[in-house]
Amino acid sequence: MSSTDDQGAATGAPVSREALREVFADEVVTHALSRDVQLPYGAGKAVLITLDNGHDHNKPNTFGPAGLLSLDDAIEAARARSDISAVAVTGKPFIFAVGADLSGVPQVRDREQAYAVAKLGHDVFRKLGELDVPTFAFINGAAMGGGVEVALHCRYRTVSSGIPALSLPEAFLGLVPGWGGTYLLPRLIGVEKALKIVIDNPLAQNKTIKGPEVRELGIADAMFEPADFVEESLRWAARVVKGETTVERPEVDTGQAWDQAIDNARFMLEGKLHGAAPAPARALELVAASKDRTRDEGFAAEDEALADLMMSDELTAGLYAFDLNQKRAKRPAGAPDKSLARPITKVGVVGAGLMAGQLALLFARRLDVPVVMTDLDQDRLDKGVAYVHGEVDKLLGKGRITSDKANRLKAQVSGSLSMNAFSDADFVIEAVFEKMSVKQDVFAQVEAEVAPEAVLATNTSSLSITEMASKLKHPERVVGFHFFNPVAVLPLLEIVRGERTDDAALATAFATAKQLKKTAVLCKDAPAFVVNRLLTLFMGEVLGAVEEGTEPEVADRSVAPLGLPMSPLLLLQLVGPAVALHVSETLHEAFPDRFGVSEQLRRVVESGKTEIYGPDFQIDPEVREMFAGGGRPSSEEEIRQRALEAMAREIRIMLDEGVVAEPADIDLCLITGAGWPFHLGGITPYLDRSGVSEKVNGSLFHPNGPKAV
């Protein structure tokens, strides 16, 4: 490898474009297809470049070296012409472009190659902003990463009101928007709004925005309906070319407001990630510096950042996690043939508490079928239905649904004091008190009312599905269907097969999960399944250190370097001390040698305390008193290490027991159900990289490197 200069730029021989093609030998090439169009109103002729990889929308347009060079050829051909008055770029149906070809990134072997990829993107895209004629991006469909940056390089942009997603997800994966995004976007829409797209949204489970918000933020200059989007965009472009339409853009404030927005973002990042993920911090610094840099300086800095990050462990981890979500999540291991699934025309929900209300709303929204809730108490039932209706009103107020949809959802969700309301339900899920005898009694009552083929699902977080179904006439139709709270936010659904659960019930569960837009993972009927088993163990190590005499704040900070979404004690408060105690007791009963029960936590629960922290975000003094005791305090590093080692041991045991099919399923569960950070790439690769796997188990979870599928 060649040396680098003070800024890290490669100083060896440049990597040729042909060499880059070889690195990305398996690239699905997005071709830039040019055609002449006559602009209306006598505005002249335009070259319309359509990005198209030759596949339908299920395989979006991406940019590898060959795709970039195809676009370069199209731009150069347009540059050479003197008979055109504009150049426009759009995408194939439903897709504009979704960024770099990430499938080739693992083949990049050294920094020189990484730098060449970064620079090639800039060299091609920037030409769109340097042509002698006006350039337009017609964002007709999904646009992400490099696709957004192509549009930013154009002088003008239109967007379809129907596009489902626009984002710059790079910081989520371990990269930065490195083909102009960190320089051009803040100088277009202002730094505060740009940081929302570059930093906030990627860290909020890779949130995207739709067409109307793209226009509202000022990323696009005009918005048109999908049906005649390109035609309307060409008409608008013609008026711009003729000077009949002038695009007014607010002046960007590069004074104190810019600096304050950067400081706020820096404070947020430190509080959220504690320095654990370099990519978001690098993206923030690039945005901050774009205030005073020239375009050449801004692009050069992006090249350096991309070259560094493409060679990082963080990117390898991020790509593995991305692969889990994009591939393995769509093809769950062990799911029966989907043809066995039964149709669902009505859903029953037993219970009317908060979880039951969340489930009722989700089923009504996603399945678009009647949902009936039952409870023994009319007042509680009324409150449960009212909760659902209130949440529907919130969706309407935010513009997420239309008034017609809101009225339909309210009409679909009803309540009944009698389980006879389930007589024509195809799928009934219980969300009642977490006690075996209670759930068995509920299922016995439900079974007496429903058809023999109706699926009975339990939202239990830790109890045995097999035991729950053991007293029924048809135990084969009972399946675990464990959601995570809040239901609308966390994607994971642990689907649990009892010893007698048949393929039809299981297939129906997986088909339903897909309709609910959840990430389903098949789990064996083992205590607490996957996420709660591991989180309880993790929490147990932290509480164990407190019991031994460690100050609660020290124990709570111990895992901060991992960049988890919340600290252990904050998670304990969110879950609820009583629920956490119940799960730990369940696991202690099953595995007494590995899972203890914190007597301090028991004291908290018996005291009636439901929160660990007071309103001042300090630990409640009464809780602190209950946590006191012990004479063997540990350091933060010691606690973190013992927690990770316990996790490594337990994951090995779970895999040997067949709780899930592969380590990738453990990783998928923790990422989508517990918020395990994307930048760590899953718990098992992290344990491998940090040396914990070999220390504890004598082997790696991924001997040949992590692969999602």
Side-chain angles (χ1 to χ4, degrees):
M1 183 182 293
S2 64
S3 62
T4 60
D5 63 19
D6 290 340
Q7 286 76 43
T11 56
V15 178
S16 71
R17 293 180 170 187
E18 195 52 48
L20 283 184
R21 286 179 187 266
E22 292 177 8
V23 172
F24 286 72
D26 296 327
E27 175 185 352
V28 177
V29 180
T30 295
H31 297 281
L33 309 174
S34 297
R35 64 186 175 96
D36 287 358
V37 293
Q38 198 67 41
L39 294 173
Y41 317 128
K45 189 184 299 179
V47 172
L48 180 62
I49 300 172
T50 300
L51 304 173
D52 192 342
N53 63 7
H55 296 265
D56 67 16
H57 65 279
N58 291 307
K59 198 169 191 68
N61 297 326
T62 56
F63 291 111
L68 289 171
L69 293 174
S70 177
L71 179 58
D72 191 51
D73 289 342
I75 297 171
E76 285 298 331
R79 187 206 294 269
R81 295 178 60 174
S82 59
D83 63 333
I84 60 172
S85 55
V87 172
V89 181
T90 192
K92 68 183 182 181
F94 310 110
I95 300 289
F96 185 69
V98 299
D101 177 9
L102 297 177
S103 65
V105 170
Q107 308 309 316
V108 175
R109 299 301 180 194
D110 57 50
R111 194 179 187 280
E112 282 74 19
Q113 291 178 345
Y115 183 83
V117 170
K119 191 170 185 305
L120 178 59
H122 276 127
D123 289 348
V124 174
F125 288 178
R126 68 181 299 161
K127 292 178 181 179
L128 288 166
E130 297 170 350
L131 291 178
D132 294 334
V133 296
T135 51
F136 299 83
F138 300 157
I139 308 172
N140 65 305
M144 298 173 189
V148 175
E149 288 167 307
V150 167
L152 291 175
H153 280 272
C154 295
R155 292 187 213 173
Y156 306 98
R157 285 156 295 282
T158 66
V159 67
S160 166
S161 62
I163 76 162
L166 180 142
S167 67
L168 289 173
E170 288 86 352
F172 178 67
L173 297 172
L175 291 169
V176 297
W179 283 341
T182 66
Y183 183 82
L184 296 172
L185 188 61
R187 298 173 73 89
L188 174 68
I189 64 173
V191 69
E192 189 170 0
K193 290 192 282 189
L195 287 171
K196 176 182 179 182
I197 304 298
V198 175
I199 304 289
D200 295 355
N201 286 359
L203 296 184
Q205 295 191 328
N206 205 18
K207 181 181 176 183
T208 62
I209 61 174
K210 300 181 188 297
E213 192 172 357
V214 174
R215 175 68 185 98
E216 182 183 333
L217 287 171
I219 297 172
D221 303 306
M223 182 172 71
F224 303 109
E225 293 301 308
D228 53 357
F229 171 70
V230 172
E231 291 82 355
E232 286 299 321
S233 293
L234 287 169
R235 290 189 186 96
W236 182 84
R239 291 193 291 271
V240 172
V241 169
K242 287 176 67 65
E244 296 172 1
T245 293
T246 302
V247 174
E248 302 285 348
R249 294 183 182 136
E251 185 176 347
V252 171
D253 187 340
T254 56
Q256 186 177 355
W258 183 293
D259 297 334
Q260 186 61 53
I262 295 295
D263 288 343
N264 291 344
R266 197 173 282 127
F267 179 78
M268 178 277 293
L269 268 187
E270 179 55 33
K272 195 164 192 173
L273 298 176
H274 309 286
R282 191 75 178 263
L284 176 59
E285 296 313 315
L286 286 169
V287 171
S290 68
K291 167 183 159 182
D292 301 313
R293 281 175 170 158
T294 65
R295 187 168 62 157
D296 287 347
E297 290 169 341
F299 291 176
E302 288 180 340
D303 288 340
E304 299 297 339
L306 270 186
D308 290 341
L309 292 168
M310 283 177 71
M311 305 311 298
S312 68
D313 285 342
E314 184 190 8
L315 178 60
T316 302
L319 291 178
Y320 168 71
F322 181 74
D323 243 16
L324 287 177
N325 277 266
Q326 294 298 308
K327 296 179 181 177
R328 193 171 190 88
K330 294 175 181 176
R331 294 189 289 274
D337 192 311
K338 60 184 180 183
S339 66
L340 298 174
R342 298 179 181 128
I344 294 178
T345 59
K346 182 178 178 179
V347 171
V349 179
V350 185
L354 179 59
M355 177 58 81
Q358 293 183 75
L359 296 180
L361 177 60
L362 180 70
F363 278 96
R365 282 193 74 192
R366 300 298 187 209
L367 271 59
D368 196 22
V369 298
V371 178
V372 60
M373 303 169 70
T374 64
D375 204 289
L376 299 175
D377 181 88
Q378 185 67 54
D379 183 55
R380 201 159 51 226
L381 186 62
D382 290 343
K383 286 180 180 177
V385 175
Y387 165 82
V388 176
H389 288 190
E391 292 299 300
V392 170
D393 287 336
K394 289 179 186 178
L395 291 170
L396 177 62
K398 294 176 182 177
R400 302 277 299 276
I401 57 176
T402 64
S403 57
D404 286 345
K405 178 69 172 176
N407 291 334
R408 189 163 72 251
L409 284 173
K410 288 181 180 181
Q412 283 176 324
V413 178
S414 61
S416 173
L417 291 174
S418 171
M419 288 194 185
N420 180 255
F422 296 155
S423 61
D424 55 346
D426 309 295
F427 191 98
V428 178
I429 184 167
E430 67 77 22
V432 299
F433 185 66
E434 189 77 348
K435 187 175 180 180
M436 181 61 74
S437 60
V438 173
K439 291 181 183 289
Q440 285 180 328
D441 183 55
V442 161
F443 271 158
Q445 294 177 54
V446 172
E447 187 175 49
E449 302 292 346
V450 299
E453 64 275 7
V455 172
L456 306 186
T458 170
N459 188 45
T460 182
S461 59
S462 60
L463 300 177
S464 168
I465 310 302
T466 301
E467 185 179 351
M468 203 178 297
S470 61
K471 298 180 180 181
L472 298 178
K473 295 177 183 176
H474 296 284
E476 69 278 0
R477 56 157 162 205
V478 178
V479 64
F481 214 61
H482 180 217
F483 290 88
F484 289 78
N485 201 8
V487 170
V489 175
L490 292 176
L492 180 63
L493 186 53
E494 290 178 333
I495 294 183
V496 187
R497 182 170 202 160
E499 289 179 9
R500 298 183 64 180
T501 305
D502 65 19
D503 283 351
L506 200 62
T508 304
F510 274 100
T512 304
K514 186 174 183 179
Q515 284 184 276
L516 295 175
K517 299 184 179 179
K518 293 296 181 182
T519 297
V521 175
L522 179 62
C523 306
K524 181 181 176 181
D525 188 13
F529 318 127
V530 175
V531 173
N532 282 343
R533 179 165 169 176
L534 290 174
L535 286 186
T536 300
L537 181 74
F538 194 71
M539 183 77 69
E541 295 299 326
V542 173
L543 291 178
V546 174
E547 222 160 20
E548 292 164 4
T550 306
E551 287 294 318
E553 290 87 354
V554 173
D556 208 31
R557 287 195 306 267
S558 65
V559 297
L562 299 177
L564 300 173
M566 61 183 68
S567 69
L569 294 185
L570 192 58
L571 176 63
L572 177 61
Q573 177 165 298
L574 177 69
V575 170
V579 172
L581 178 64
H582 169 73
V583 176
S584 67
E585 288 173 336
T586 299
L587 284 162
H588 176 68
E589 185 178 343
F591 312 116
D593 56 328
R594 303 196 305 278
F595 288 82
V597 178
S598 167
E599 292 306 314
Q600 293 176 332
L601 178 59
R602 193 189 302 279
R603 286 203 294 271
V604 171
V605 173
E606 289 174 350
S607 75
K609 288 281 184 181
T610 59
E611 298 193 344
I612 306 299
Y613 292 92
D616 57 355
F617 294 103
Q618 301 296 314
I619 292 176
D620 184 306
E622 294 180 17
V623 172
R624 175 184 291 282
E625 184 66 28
M626 295 177 212
F627 277 159
R632 294 181 293 113
S634 300
S635 69
E636 292 178 23
E637 185 176 350
E638 288 170 336
I639 298 168
R640 182 169 63 254
Q641 189 65 18
R642 79 189 245 184
L644 290 172
E645 289 179 7
M647 294 273 273
R649 276 191 295 272
E650 196 63 27
I651 290 170
R652 183 72 270 159
I653 292 169
M654 291 167 70
L655 292 170
D656 291 344
E657 291 176 350
V659 175
V660 292
E662 295 177 14
D665 293 315
I666 298 276
D667 298 326
L668 186 58
C669 282
L670 287 185
I671 289 170
T672 57
W676 179 263
F678 234 69
H679 67 266
L680 297 182
I683 178 69
T684 61
Y686 176 77
L687 293 171
D688 283 356
R689 288 197 310 276
S690 59
V692 175
S693 301
E694 285 195 286
K695 178 183 177 182
V696 171
N697 300 322
S699 61
L700 300 174
F701 289 110
H702 304 272
N704 300 315
K707 293 179 176 59
V709 289

